[in-house]
Amino acid sequence: MSMRYLTSEAELRAIYRQPSQGAAGKDIGRIDKHMAHFISLSPFLCIGTMGPRGASDVSPRGGEPGFVHVLGERTLAMPDRPGNNRLDTLINIVNNPGVGLAFFIPGFEDVLRVNGVARITTDPETMGRFVTENKPPITVTMIEVKEAYLHCPKAVRRAGLWNPEAYVDRATFPTAGQIYRDQLALEVEAEVIDASLEQDARERLY
């Protein structure tokens, strides 16, 4: 079956209404006191980046509430902790510094969106801001804020994201060890992989 796709803004606007004045004008292009407070409460975000050949990526980042520091109205700093060393986000940033951030707070239906330009640093003074359990981050991502605004709560509300009644029993889905074993054709028990992943998460969190 041949599917027709919408390929222009005009085609989209023939279907969608124009945004309200409030929606169109809510980007303030800086971090004000309300957004700084939101970030200080947020332990989790997703960061979107774009690779040099147009390949896009979205990656989660987490830490203690306020793990991203507000250094000014147009400057954020985010530590990078131990991970899988694929470096998808960081490699994308050094090739194409445009980033998009979505901050979440458990229990809040609001989402704070920040778009900007990122740079990566190992500046000792900046790294020193993020020492946790006597361990500095590996690098710090500095973000120059270009756009900043609250996203409406409808997506989180539709998802029932914070509703305990919507939580899914983890036992209904294979463990990461089972998935990796199947996808990578590994000749090792899933329990062994899961135990290794748990040990890594426990011992290399920071």
Side-chain angles (χ1 to χ4, degrees):
M1 182 180 70
S2 178
M3 183 178 296
R4 179 182 178 276
Y5 297 99
L6 306 179
T7 59
S8 70
E9 182 176 347
E11 288 181 302
L12 290 170
R13 284 301 173 196
I15 299 171
Y16 291 90
R17 294 179 299 175
Q18 290 292 330
S20 67
Q21 185 176 359
K26 65 182 178 179
D27 168 34
I28 64 172
R30 59 186 174 84
I31 304 299
D32 70 353
K33 64 179 182 179
H34 302 295
M35 294 181 180
H37 189 194
F38 194 105
I39 292 170
S40 76
L41 298 174
S42 174
F44 179 80
L45 63 84
C46 292
I47 178 170
T49 57
M50 184 71 72
R53 290 175 294 278
S56 57
D57 181 76
V58 176
S59 179
R61 292 290 188 272
E64 70 285 353
F67 76 98
V68 173
H69 291 191
V70 178
L71 303 188
E73 287 190 336
R74 290 180 172 80
T75 307
L76 303 179
M78 179 175 65
D80 192 68
R81 305 293 184 182
N84 58 22
N85 291 321
R86 282 178 54 99
L87 305 186
D88 298 303
T89 298
L90 302 185
I91 290 173
N92 283 351
I93 287 172
V94 298
N95 285 287
N96 184 343
V99 297
L101 309 175
F103 290 87
F104 296 82
I105 300 173
F108 282 34
E109 291 183 333
D110 311 276
V111 177
L112 176 62
R113 293 177 59 178
V114 177
N115 299 321
V117 177
R119 299 287 188 273
I120 300 167
T121 184
T122 55
D123 171 70
E125 182 176 351
T126 304
M127 299 270 283
R129 297 179 58 95
F130 299 99
V131 174
T132 300
E133 297 185 1
N134 295 317
K135 297 177 181 178
I138 302 173
T139 60
V140 174
T141 300
M142 306 294 295
I143 298 143
E144 179 186 356
V145 176
K146 299 294 188 181
E147 297 178 313
Y149 53 94
L150 281 180
H151 192 89
C152 81
K154 290 180 181 177
V156 174
R157 182 170 299 180
R158 291 188 191 109
L161 190 60
W162 310 121
N163 179 5
E165 295 181 0
Y167 292 175
V168 178
D169 185 349
R170 187 61 180 83
T172 63
F173 192 77
T175 68
Q178 292 171 318
I179 294 171
Y180 292 149
R181 182 196 60 191
D182 294 344
Q183 292 179 341
L184 303 177
L186 300 175
E187 295 183 359
V188 59
E189 294 297 325
E191 292 80 2
V192 174
I193 302 173
D194 285 323
S196 177
L197 293 172
E198 174 58 29
Q199 181 179 5
D200 181 70
R202 185 173 60 251
E203 297 178 357
R204 297 185 65 250
L205 200 58
Y206 294 99

